[in-house]
Amino acid sequence: MNSVGLVESQFITIKRSLDLDCGRTLPEFTLAYETYGKLNPERSNALLICHALSGDQHAAGYHSTEDRKPGWWDNCIGPGKPFDTDRFFVVAPNNLGGCKGSSGPASVNPETGKQYGPDFPLVTVHDWVVSQSYLADELGIEQWAAVIGGSLGGMQVMQWAIDFPDRLRQAVVIAAAPKLTAQNIAFNEVARQAIFSDPDFHQGHYYEHNTTPRQGLMLARMLGHITYLSDHAMREKFGRDLREGKLNFGFDVEFQVESYLRYQGKSFVDRFDANTYLIMTKALDYFDPALNWDDDLPRAFQNTSAEFLVISFTGDWRFSPARSREIVRALIAAKKKVSYVEIDADLGHDAFLTAIPEYHSVLQSYMHTLQI
């Protein structure tokens, strides 16, 4: 219902060098992206959607009539939805280092003629934002009406507001944090070690061996998925239900939650690249915009000019509401305009991807106030 319909990914090679935070330079790079809606003559109605760790450019609609599922944020993007494509021109890129068409580990290194593999440079949220600004230049968009994202996408929103204060009017930060806690970094490290320890990983050169570290990536995804759901959500969805209605006294799948996690892990391996997963988790670990401002987050926000909407969810224990309130307090201390909403939802971190009525109502009301 109210779908943007059939869509196609687009690919653009940006022939501008990009100096990365790690000290390396990409002489040029490709970004995959999708667009929905139409850019108005004034070029003032563009929204940038920033994806989270395992997301990509396919945020809405369908690639074919055979697709069983639409893009990952289809419930928010489309005619009459919070990000209304009858009103806005929505741009959703795949981040640099991704595996859906943007330059990344699986793409060819022009210097060697082989796939980059582990030689693709580590990137940061700042690097992503700069690359996205180059994409905006190519599309002729001088200023976004809003930059929007959840989780790691929300971190990109904050970085946009800090790095390019004049290039966005609104910043919508959902289920995010000003930096990761030690616990969150620890989760990411365990996920990476699962990949590293897979015998098919070959130190990241598995493309050359025509194999994939399936077991390691599956375990990494299973671990991640546990952190995306709340205890309440898992209890409501699975409880202690047995797959066959009885105990089999073995180590194969017995509980429904085990079956679910294995399914999530196996399906993830079929659509995502292990080297990209490593890069994305490191970018998440590295994010800390206050670092260049003597660990003073209000100072990091001092030159921003966008108005902020910050949204959190009560059942999100990975990026808890307390972390969103840190962002809000810093913005208030920096004397910036900010609205904050805490949504009562027990779904966990993945709540930002779901069609919770109160959540959608907040987004819709806020977006309706935007002048374009």
Side-chain angles (χ1 to χ4, degrees):
M1 184 181 293
N2 296 335
S3 172
V4 296
L6 292 177
V7 298
E8 291 184 0
S9 291
Q10 302 175 64
F11 307 89
I12 185 169
T13 297
I14 298 174
K15 298 185 180 299
R16 293 171 62 180
S17 63
L18 179 62
D19 294 329
L20 303 172
D21 284 341
C22 68
R24 293 175 60 184
T25 297
L26 292 176
E28 62 179 49
F29 59 94
T30 297
L31 287 182
Y33 67 101
E34 290 185 5
T35 66
Y36 322 105
K38 293 183 179 179
L39 189 63
N40 63 12
E42 298 80 15
R43 299 179 176 270
S44 62
N45 69 331
L47 305 180
L48 177 67
I49 303 296
C50 301
H51 69 71
L53 189 149
S54 60
D56 54 38
Q57 73 273 18
H58 185 41
Y62 299 83
H63 283 160
S64 77
T65 54
E66 284 74 43
D67 283 358
R68 289 187 299 170
K69 291 183 178 180
W72 58 269
W73 223 4
D74 189 79
N75 63 58
C76 274
I77 301 170
K81 296 178 182 179
F83 310 132
D84 189 349
T85 51
D86 286 338
R87 187 165 179 245
F88 295 106
F89 176 65
V90 180
V91 180
N94 179 217
N95 285 346
L96 193 66
C99 54
K100 296 295 182 178
S102 292
S103 293
S107 55
V108 174
N109 182 345
E111 294 181 2
T112 65
K114 298 180 180 180
Q115 289 172 293
Y116 276 102
D119 296 327
F120 193 83
L122 288 179
V123 292
T124 64
V125 171
H126 167 74
D127 295 329
W128 286 339
V129 167
V130 175
S131 71
Q132 292 162 5
S133 76
Y134 288 5
L135 175 62
D137 293 342
E138 295 288 337
L139 297 175
I141 298 169
E142 293 184 5
Q143 185 184 68
W144 302 101
V147 179
I148 303 158
S151 189
L152 181 54
M155 294 175 169
Q156 293 168 67
V157 176
M158 286 184 274
Q159 196 72 56
W160 256 101
I162 292 167
D163 291 346
F164 297 100
D166 298 327
R167 298 200 67 172
L168 69 161
R169 299 195 297 278
Q170 304 288 335
V172 181
V173 180
I174 307 169
K179 60 183 175 183
L180 288 197
T181 61
Q183 183 187 51
N184 271 310
I185 293 172
F187 283 132
N188 287 342
E189 173 60 7
V190 173
R192 288 190 293 266
Q193 288 300 323
I195 294 171
F196 292 150
S197 63
D198 190 307
D200 287 327
F201 181 60
H202 296 290
Q203 295 183 307
H205 294 284
Y206 48 88
Y207 313 124
E208 299 167 26
H209 293 265
N210 197 29
T211 187
T212 300
R214 296 185 64 87
Q215 190 68 19
L217 184 57
M218 185 181 83
L219 290 173
R221 179 61 172 178
M222 289 170 69
L223 172 66
H225 212 75
I226 292 169
T227 72
Y228 303 149
L229 299 176
S230 67
D231 178 55
H232 173 86
M234 296 186 81
R235 186 168 62 248
E236 287 291 306
K237 192 168 186 175
F238 308 108
R240 289 178 53 84
D241 292 350
L242 293 165
R243 191 180 185 190
E244 297 179 9
K246 63 184 179 68
L247 294 173
N248 291 317
F249 296 96
F251 292 103
D252 201 358
V253 171
E254 293 194 273
F255 292 92
Q256 289 287 9
V257 68
E258 295 174 313
S259 176
Y260 171 78
L261 287 174
R262 292 195 192 188
Y263 169 78
Q264 289 293 332
K266 289 176 181 176
S267 62
F268 187 67
V269 170
D270 293 332
R271 68 178 179 87
F272 215 77
D273 181 72
N275 280 326
T276 286
Y277 195 85
L278 297 173
I279 286 173
M280 296 292 173
T281 58
K282 268 298 182 181
L284 191 57
D285 291 354
Y286 290 155
F287 179 74
D288 184 3
L291 191 63
N292 294 328
W293 301 89
D294 297 324
D295 291 324
D296 187 335
L297 192 58
R299 281 187 60 202
F301 285 131
Q302 66 184 349
N303 293 323
T304 63
S305 57
E307 296 184 12
F308 283 78
L309 170 64
V310 180
I311 299 176
S312 68
F313 300 88
T314 55
D316 183 355
W317 61 274
R318 183 149 196 191
F319 286 175
S320 71
R323 307 310 312 282
S324 288
R325 290 194 291 270
E326 287 180 46
I327 298 168
V328 173
R329 286 194 296 271
L331 287 165
I332 292 172
K335 297 181 170 56
K336 304 301 174 181
K337 291 184 179 180
V338 55
S339 302
Y340 174 60
V341 180
E342 186 174 305
I343 304 295
D344 187 11
D346 289 323
L347 299 177
H349 185 55
D350 271 357
F352 81 93
L353 296 171
T354 63
I356 299 168
E358 182 188 0
Y359 169 43
H360 274 208
S361 178
V362 168
L363 286 175
Q364 199 134 26
S365 297
Y366 188 82
M367 298 305 293
H368 186 71
T369 66
L370 265 63
Q371 301 295 316
I372 57 174

